[in-house]
Amino acid sequence: MRRQLIAGNWKMNLNRASAVALALQIVEKADGCPRADLAVCPPAVYLEAVGKVVAGSRVGLGAQNMFYQLSGAFTGEISGEMLRDLGCQYVILGHSERRNILGESSEFVNRKVHAALNLGLTPMVCVGELLAEREAGDTAQVIRRQFDGTFSGLNAEEMLRVIIAYEPVWAIGTGKVATPEQAQEVHLQLRQLIAERYQESVAQQVKILYGGSVTAENAGGLLSQPDIDGALVGGASLKAEQFLGIAAQARDTQN
Ligand code: PEP
């Protein structure tokens, strides 16, 4: 049985006041979603302010990115240690916007995954195919390649501390959500890849979230699939009632 996680990726949105206000609304109503773990991932500059709001509540705090070095001459970068210092439990890594706009490779993301795990942070690691890759029938191959590169060198104990987010790039921010069946097919493939590389008991414990145009209206079908253990939510996480409306439909995953 896996407890579902609903995490909000606020991306490069909001300002300090609206980020604090959104966090407050979520914290105040979090008890209405007892079956979901909740997390918010504000822009790095608002982590401290949002962290104060969510401290001691059921809402976890996550960052949207980090660098793999602990400290040093890396202008503009933020280390995992700094994130921990701010009270983060989670960090999103390998988001498609970072892979595709900022040129992050799976090998680069892999270094961050190791660094996050070494610091006791829980990485939410994104994988997903482009529209052209899906249309060419290459989805399974792309997912396997990203999986192998991004999770290279992790032992079973480390894999158990990873959260995977399957985010088909064509579904992110487009309003074109994957059907529950399309998402389930890739989630099952990811679970089989974990079982192949580690063992079935590891595969059964790793949380695999779906992300890509999830809303309160379409969440029910996705969250009831046997291998979907929650959602990474972008646009809809900027509205408390949408985010909580998604979380209210969470249920333990059992397969
Ligand atoms: C995301 O970018 O992680 C995401 C899932 O975005 P959206 O929900 O807006 O598609």
Side-chain angles (χ1 to χ4, degrees), residues 216-240:
E217 291 69 41
N218 61 33
L222 290 158
L223 295 177
S224 59
Q225 293 299 309
D227 288 290
I228 299 185
D229 307 317
L232 181 55
V233 186
S237 72
L238 296 170
K239 297 232 160 59

Side-chain angles (χ1 to χ4, degrees), residues 40-234:
V40 292
C41 304
V45 288
Y46 305 136
L47 277 170
E48 183 156 23
V50 170
K52 284 185 184 147
V53 177
V54 302
S57 80
R58 293 192 45 236
V59 182
L61 185 68
Q64 299 174 16
N65 181 38
M66 60 170 261
F67 193 51
Y68 54 79
Q69 296 283 2
L70 292 180
S71 64
F74 303 103
T75 303
E77 292 297 330
I78 297 173
S79 75
E81 207 147 73
M82 292 169 181
L83 299 182
R84 274 213 338 198
D85 195 25
L86 290 177
C88 288
Q89 295 127 263
Y90 301 100
V91 58
I92 299 171
L93 296 176
H95 191 280
S96 67
E97 285 148 17
R98 299 206 62 85
R99 288 180 188 262
N100 298 317
I101 302 172
L102 294 148
E104 292 194 7
S105 64
S106 290
E107 195 258 334
F108 189 68
V109 177
N110 175 250
R111 291 186 187 208
K112 299 184 185 198
V113 174
H114 281 280
L117 290 168
N118 288 341
L119 289 164
L121 288 163
T122 300
M124 293 190 231
V125 188
C126 306
V127 295
E129 80 287 0
L130 301 166
L131 181 60
E133 292 167 335
R134 174 161 284 266
E135 286 177 346
D138 290 342
T139 300
Q141 190 187 319
V142 170
I143 295 296
R144 174 180 278 275
R145 195 177 61 231
Q146 289 182 351
F147 179 91
D148 286 341
T150 307
F151 299 117
S152 171
L154 262 57
N155 62 35
E157 180 275 324
E158 290 168 328
M159 194 66 216
L160 283 167
R161 292 191 283 126
V162 164
I163 294 173
I164 302 177
Y166 168 55
E167 298 209 319
V169 180
W170 49 271
I172 296 179
T174 59
K176 271 206 252 164
V177 64
T179 64
E181 294 73 25
Q182 283 174 320
Q184 165 61 25
E185 186 181 13
V186 177
H187 282 235
L188 179 61
Q189 185 204 350
L190 283 162
R191 215 173 287 290
Q192 286 167 344
L193 287 170
I194 302 169
E196 243 176 60
R197 187 183 301 165
Y198 303 94
Q199 45 181 306
E200 185 59 29
S201 65
V202 176
Q204 286 306 319
Q205 290 175 71
V206 173
K207 270 196 227 297
I208 308 177
L209 314 182
Y210 168 79
S213 296
V214 177
T215 62
E217 291 69 41
N218 61 33
L222 290 158
L223 295 177
S224 59
Q225 293 299 309
D227 288 290
I228 299 185
D229 307 317
L232 181 55
V233 186

